[in-house]
Amino acid sequence: MASGLLRSEFDQVSFIRKSHSLDYAGGMASNYYFGYLKHVLAASVTDVLEGICERIKLYSAQNSVSFVSDKLVILIPNTMYLNPKIDDSKLLEKTNALEPVIKNRAGVQRRFYNDVYRIKKPINNKYYYIVLEGATPLQSFYDAMQEERNISRTSLKRMQREILLKFYTYLKKLLLSRPDTENEAELILYNAYKEDGSKVDVGEVIISYFHEKLKKET
């Protein structure tokens, strides 16, 4: 009976890469999508303002500002760790959040917030705003890896890269699987450290990513 548990690392990698959701990475992506993203991204069939695009447009009109993207931008660092205070970046400053969304989840009224940041460095000579957050399930996974009493910590840590990539690809697949979320979020997978070992400023990642994107669109 125990022989089935003694699988090689190669077998574990192969299992993670398969196109099912019966693994740690797929489970994290599914919970994140169905428990949170679907509720803040998708527009309601009612007249209530709930979709991320609609709320961004309202914010833009009310404050006379421009957004670098009309989507929720989700940061996915390769280390899985993201500073809880994104505005510690020298290039980002937190402003007022978008209008919150209130949804009933299992009999509980939940209020979902989405933070807005101002990019302090111009892109193509223009200052932009952005709705930005880190992928919270990966942060939870990172925290679990630091817990010495977690008996599976060593095995999961060896599989960290595979889990990260599976989470990214499966979450992207989930977003694209529904018309009401396929164009509502943007995933940015990036290296958290430069080649010289210094930390990357999240603001630099944002500016670099959208500067290239805007250049292609103009």
Side-chain angles (χ1 to χ4, degrees):
M1 291 177 65
S3 62
L5 301 176
L6 302 177
R7 303 173 65 188
S8 71
E9 188 165 311
F10 178 81
D11 290 335
Q12 294 176 48
V13 171
S14 177
F15 177 75
I16 290 171
R17 286 179 174 171
K18 288 180 180 178
S19 59
H20 52 64
S21 61
L22 302 176
D23 62 89
Y24 201 97
M28 284 196 298
S30 293
N31 288 336
Y32 188 41
Y33 178 79
F34 291 106
Y36 170 66
L37 289 179
K38 188 167 72 74
H39 304 287
V40 300
L41 296 179
S44 173
V45 294
T46 68
D47 293 329
V48 179
L49 186 69
E50 292 182 331
I52 194 77
C53 284
E54 288 82 3
R55 290 187 290 135
I56 288 175
K57 287 176 183 176
L58 176 65
Y59 188 105
S60 179
Q62 290 179 335
N63 297 278
S64 300
V65 298
S66 298
F67 281 77
V68 73
S69 173
D70 61 355
K71 304 176 183 180
L72 171 64
V73 178
I74 301 172
L75 296 168
I76 303 180
N78 67 326
T79 58
M80 302 190 183
Y81 175 81
L82 189 69
N83 189 332
K85 294 184 177 181
I86 294 177
D87 54 346
D88 278 353
S89 162
K90 296 178 181 178
L91 299 168
L92 299 172
E93 62 180 358
K94 194 173 182 179
T95 64
N96 295 327
L98 292 183
E99 191 73 21
V101 173
I102 301 174
K103 294 283 182 77
N104 188 306
R105 295 288 293 152
V108 178
Q109 289 289 99
R110 286 196 58 188
R111 190 179 296 265
F112 296 94
Y113 291 93
N114 294 108
D115 288 332
V116 177
Y117 296 85
R118 178 180 179 270
I119 302 173
K120 296 193 283 185
K121 184 177 178 180
I123 301 176
N124 295 343
N125 300 316
K126 187 174 181 179
Y127 289 93
Y128 286 94
Y129 287 65
I130 185 170
V131 183
L132 181 67
E133 62 185 56
T136 51
L138 292 182
Q139 182 66 53
S140 299
F141 177 83
Y142 174 88
D143 292 340
M145 293 304 92
Q146 314 312 307
E147 176 55 63
E148 293 184 1
R149 289 170 294 181
N150 188 331
I151 59 173
S152 62
R153 180 176 66 94
T154 303
S155 176
L156 287 175
K157 206 162 189 175
R158 288 201 307 269
M159 296 295 104
Q160 180 173 319
R161 179 178 175 276
E162 296 296 331
I163 290 171
L164 172 73
L165 295 178
K166 177 62 182 290
F167 174 86
Y168 172 78
T169 55
Y170 193 67
L171 180 58
K172 200 166 188 177
K173 180 180 177 181
L174 286 172
L175 288 165
L176 293 172
S177 68
R178 293 174 59 107
D180 54 355
T181 62
E182 63 178 340
N183 295 311
E184 310 300 313
E186 194 138 15
L187 309 180
I188 301 182
L189 180 64
Y190 67 97
N191 290 320
Y193 288 87
K194 299 178 182 178
E195 291 184 359
D196 62 5
S198 61
K199 283 186 178 181
V200 167
D201 187 310
V202 170
E204 293 177 3
V205 175
I206 296 299
I207 290 171
S208 174
Y209 181 88
F210 284 104
H211 186 273
E212 292 303 312
K213 189 166 182 272
L214 289 173
K215 276 203 311 186
K216 294 175 183 177
E217 293 177 354
T218 55

